[in-house]
């Protein structure tokens, strides 16, 4: 019985150490079973609690996912260490089960209320005493990195709100620029989101718990915002290739590369090299309706809708499937052109402010459902 306890304790400690290193130390986005299972279990539980309340209830419930994951990871690591050291102390000493686990807890949490003059257990006691503070210190050091990445992300998502509405939608980005004559600002928008996409691809793949951090406003989402910027760039390139800034191509490349890196880190299936004519869920009718809405704002395409569709399709096939899967897993706001969700929902069009200019301006163009 003692050797079984010793082997089991050693395996538990190895698994705990492996999970800590993969999650907190190794900067490579290694897959952690603990983080993924905890995310999956807590997400399902919160969705079940708020399932009948629509997106508003889902968003309120999922707000707690990130803090619960952080507390759950720490509790799982400390609990695993407690179990592992308790089994080892039982295996290498004449202590009873209760006494072994009592001494493991005393050493692990540096309480010091249990102990004895057993020299051969001193090494285990010292290792256990070091493990608890080290795990807690690593978790505390982990938080500033997470929140720094979160703040960088949410700054750009907030800035996007005036350009894309809430929730963000690609055609709405283009429509608003032509409505207020700020289309020359699009290259700078693409440049900013190219850098943000690269940042998110690195940070969210390395620390997947960031996927559970939601925006402060329910109709904002980093993922929906990235899809909207990519759709806007793809539409502009498809409709007006000669006048579109090269930054549009760069943000598309950075965007779908970031989405794929994140998908790899959470083991989401996707085609890494889809054919340009591979099927997409977005229909030609939706694209046609968006182009018609865009033309009412003063946008003058260089290609017809029929000519532009294969080009837009060729761009979107690179990111649609992986973007839809991540939106589903993250329970993102059900915006237009972002796929289905695991909860009952209808696509929510962006809210556009009323034109209150005193002079006769352009007619109001309501955002369509595409």
């Amino acid at each position: 019985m003692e050797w079984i306890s010793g082997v089991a304790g050693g395996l538990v400690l190895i698994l705990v150490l492996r999970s800590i290193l993969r999650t907190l130390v190794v900067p490579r986005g290694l897959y952690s079973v603990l983080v993924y299972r905890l995310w999956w279990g807590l997400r399902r539980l919160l969705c079940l609690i708020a399932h009948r309340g629509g997106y508003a209830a889902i968003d309120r419930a999922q707000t707690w996912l990130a803090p619960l994951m952080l507390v759950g990871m720490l509790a799982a690591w400390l609990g695993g260490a407690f179990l592992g050291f308790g089994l080892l102390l039982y295996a290498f000493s004449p202590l009873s089960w209760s006494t072994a686990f009592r001494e493991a807890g005393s050493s692990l949490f540096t309480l010091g209320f249990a102990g004895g003059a057993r020299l051969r257990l001193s090494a285990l006691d010292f290792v256990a005493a070091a493990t608890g503070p080290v795990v807690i210190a690593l978790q505390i050091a982990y938080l500033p990195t997470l929140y720094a990445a979160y703040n960088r992300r949410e700054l750009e998502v907030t800035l996007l709100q005036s350009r894309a509405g809430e929730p963000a939608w690609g055609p709405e980005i283009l429509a608003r620029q032509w409505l207020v004559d700020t289309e020359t600002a699009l290259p700078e928008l693409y440049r900013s989101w190219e850098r943000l996409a690269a940042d998110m691809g690195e940070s969210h793949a390395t620390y997947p718990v960031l996927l559970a951090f939601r925006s402060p406003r329910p109709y904002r989402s980093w993922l929906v915002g990235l899809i909207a910027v990519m759709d806007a760039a793809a539409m502009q390139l498809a409709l007006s290739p000669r006048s579109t800034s090269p930054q549009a191509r760069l943000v598309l490349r950075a965007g779908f590369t970031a989405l794929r890196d994140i998908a790899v880190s959470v083991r989401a299936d996707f085609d890494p090299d889809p054919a340009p004519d591979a099927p997409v869920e977005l229909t030609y009718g939706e694209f046609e309706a968006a182009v018609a809405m865009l033309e009412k704002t003063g946008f003058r395409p260089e290609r017809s809708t029929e000519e532009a569709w294969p080009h837009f399709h060729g761009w979107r096939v690179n990111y649609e499937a992986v973007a839809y899967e991540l939106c589903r897993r993250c329970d993102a706001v059900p915006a237009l052109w972002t796929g289905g969700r695991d909860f009952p929902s209808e696509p929510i069009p962006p809210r556009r402010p009323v034109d209150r200019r005193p002079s006769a301006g352009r007619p109001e163009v309501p955002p369509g459902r595409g």
Side-chain angles (χ1 to χ4, degrees):
M1 186 66 181
E2 285 78 8
W3 72 268
I4 295 177
S5 174
V7 171
L11 288 175
V12 169
L13 288 178
I14 290 173
L15 290 175
V16 169
L17 178 62
R18 183 171 181 267
S19 177
I20 293 172
L21 291 176
R22 293 173 76 90
T23 304
L24 302 181
V25 180
V26 180
R28 196 170 181 177
L30 299 178
Y31 182 81
S32 173
V33 175
L34 171 63
V35 174
Y36 179 77
R37 294 299 179 187
L38 192 62
W39 178 24
W40 184 88
L42 290 173
R43 172 178 168 262
R44 296 299 299 169
L45 177 61
L46 292 171
C47 282
L48 287 174
I49 293 173
H51 185 71
R52 295 187 177 182
Y55 172 70
I58 291 288
D59 179 72
R60 286 194 298 270
Q62 294 296 336
T63 301
W64 294 97
L65 179 58
L68 287 175
M69 282 187 64
L70 293 174
V71 173
M73 287 190 299
L74 180 61
W77 289 327
L78 291 176
F82 171 68
L83 175 62
F85 282 115
L87 291 172
L88 287 176
L89 286 169
Y90 175 77
F92 291 101
S93 74
L95 299 176
S96 64
W97 283 104
S98 60
T99 305
F101 279 97
R102 181 170 177 266
E103 179 150 342
S106 172
S107 300
L108 182 66
F109 299 104
T110 63
L111 300 175
F113 64 81
R118 296 178 298 278
L119 182 61
R120 62 176 178 170
L121 293 184
S122 295
L124 278 177
D125 289 331
F126 288 149
V127 173
T131 299
V134 167
V135 172
I136 295 173
L138 285 173
Q139 180 80 332
I140 293 173
Y142 181 55
L143 294 180
T145 302
L146 292 181
Y147 282 98
Y150 174 78
N151 288 335
R152 290 194 304 271
R153 185 188 84 186
E154 292 306 315
L155 173 62
E156 294 297 334
V157 174
T158 302
L159 290 173
L160 183 66
Q161 185 271 336
S162 63
R163 298 170 182 255
E166 290 183 3
W169 183 40
E172 181 72 3
I173 294 177
L174 299 179
R176 290 197 182 197
Q177 308 319 302
W178 264 265
L179 277 172
V180 296
D181 300 317
T182 57
E183 60 270 18
T184 55
L186 281 170
E188 183 59 34
L189 174 69
Y190 296 150
R191 187 175 295 108
S192 297
W193 276 82
E194 179 194 359
R195 295 186 63 84
L196 180 63
D199 188 342
M200 292 190 298
E202 185 275 330
S203 60
H204 290 53
T206 303
Y207 306 113
V209 71
L210 279 167
L211 299 174
F213 279 72
R214 302 182 75 83
S215 294
R217 298 280 294 271
Y219 291 104
R220 293 179 191 169
S221 166
W222 66 271
L223 189 51
V224 170
L226 179 58
I227 296 170
V229 172
M230 294 171 71
D231 281 340
M235 282 193 73
Q236 196 176 7
L237 281 168
L239 292 165
S240 302
R242 289 190 296 274
S243 60
T244 301
S245 165
Q247 287 297 328
R249 292 178 179 271
L250 297 176
V251 74
L252 279 164
R253 181 70 187 182
F256 69 70
T257 300
L259 291 176
R260 291 175 182 183
D261 288 344
I262 296 170
V264 168
S265 72
V266 297
R267 294 193 177 178
D269 294 330
F270 65 94
D271 184 355
D273 187 23
D277 57 351
V280 294
E281 291 189 31
L282 188 73
T283 65
Y284 174 74
E286 292 174 304
F287 177 74
E288 185 179 34
V291 173
M293 181 274 293
L294 187 56
E295 288 177 339
K296 293 178 182 178
T297 66
F299 179 85
R300 293 295 173 260
E302 298 166 6
R303 288 178 177 147
S304 67
T305 306
E306 293 81 4
E307 293 172 332
W309 169 248
H311 298 275
F312 178 76
H313 179 283
W315 280 113
R316 203 168 206 269
V317 75
N318 290 292
Y319 60 88
E320 185 190 79
V322 64
Y324 282 14
E325 176 63 15
L326 290 176
C327 280
R328 184 189 67 80
R329 293 193 184 198
C330 294
D331 298 305
V333 53
L336 298 171
W337 295 14
T338 60
R341 301 292 185 272
D342 287 339
F343 53 89
S345 63
E346 288 291 332
I348 303 172
R351 302 171 184 175
R352 183 180 296 166
V354 177
D355 187 351
R356 300 188 182 279
R357 289 177 290 184
S359 59
R362 294 172 179 164
E364 291 296 327
V365 182
R369 288 185 172 271

